[in-house]
Amino acid sequence: MKTRTLTYLLILSSLSLLSCNGKADKAQSTQSVTTNERKIEAPEKTKTTKVVPPSERIDLKNKGVGPIKEVVLGEIDQNLASKGQEIFKNMCMACHKPTKKFIGPAPKGILERRTPEWVMNMILDPEQMIEKDPLAKELLKEFNGAPMANQNLTQEEARAVLEYFRTL
């Protein structure tokens, strides 16, 4: 009987030990999982700043470099805009498309990003603008170093083109 009791005690203590070990292993594995989860946590999102290309940047203070110091815009003059459309078609379409980027920027919405004076000065004397105006220099870089050709337009023709841009 002593042997039998001893055997039962031995079995019970072994089971008890195994049972504690199992719990300890489970607790340990739970901690390591928790620890691993903490290691896997995603890093905090960093704030990224979107770089706006010069052609999309808004600058409604810069009047550019050139003869045009002030332009007053009233209601759209359809006759002047039609004349400007014809000039644009004949002189500018090789490099500019009205509504999408091409060799040069699209004029659609230009007056939401540039002053009328800047636009006219760029049309009238692109060489001087590229040489002295910081924004024109940046645009030259954006458009792969392709400078705008001077079409030798008069101020009246440049104003007509500007009026056409207002209708786009």
Side-chain angles (χ1 to χ4, degrees):
M1 177 136 183
K2 277 187 177 181
T3 5
R4 216 179 209 181
T5 308
L6 208 67
T7 308
Y8 284 123
L9 281 173
L10 189 60
I11 291 172
L12 278 174
S13 59
S14 296
L15 286 173
S16 179
L17 242 148
L18 284 173
S19 137
C20 286
N21 250 353
K23 286 180 184 173
D25 284 347
K26 284 182 185 176
Q28 198 172 15
S29 68
T30 303
Q31 285 176 345
S32 64
V33 168
T34 304
T35 304
N36 284 342
E37 286 175 5
R38 285 188 187 135
K39 287 180 184 174
I40 295 174
E41 283 182 17
E44 289 184 32
K45 290 185 179 182
T46 55
K47 204 174 193 180
T48 56
T49 305
K50 183 181 175 186
V51 177
V52 179
S55 61
E56 295 175 23
R57 193 174 314 137
I58 297 171
D59 183 349
L60 297 173
K61 293 182 180 179
N62 181 357
K63 294 189 177 197
V65 180
I68 307 302
K69 305 297 181 206
E70 185 177 356
V71 176
V72 178
L73 300 176
E75 287 188 36
I76 293 175
D77 180 335
Q78 289 300 331
N79 290 330
L80 191 59
S82 294
K83 183 179 175 187
Q85 181 178 17
E86 193 61 33
I87 294 166
F88 181 81
K89 186 173 139 188
N90 293 330
M91 307 296 279
C92 311
M93 288 281 290
C95 297
H96 296 274
K97 301 300 176 206
T99 60
K100 64 181 180 180
K101 286 183 178 183
F102 188 50
I103 295 168
K108 182 178 181 177
I110 188 67
L111 294 170
E112 294 168 11
R113 299 183 308 277
R114 306 284 175 267
T115 62
E117 296 83 1
W118 189 94
V119 174
M120 286 187 64
N121 282 321
M122 189 68 181
I123 291 170
L124 292 169
D125 195 351
E127 297 93 349
Q128 183 176 340
M129 285 285 287
I130 289 169
E131 183 181 319
K132 297 179 180 175
D133 182 78
L135 183 56
K137 289 177 185 181
E138 289 181 68
L139 285 165
L140 180 65
K141 289 178 189 173
E142 180 184 346
F143 288 90
N144 302 314
M148 184 167 150
N150 189 337
Q151 299 295 332
N152 296 308
L153 298 181
T154 65
Q155 285 188 20
E156 292 76 25
E157 290 169 325
R159 179 62 183 87
V161 172
L162 178 76
E163 197 69 7
Y164 166 60
F165 290 170
R166 295 178 67 200
T167 67
L168 296 176

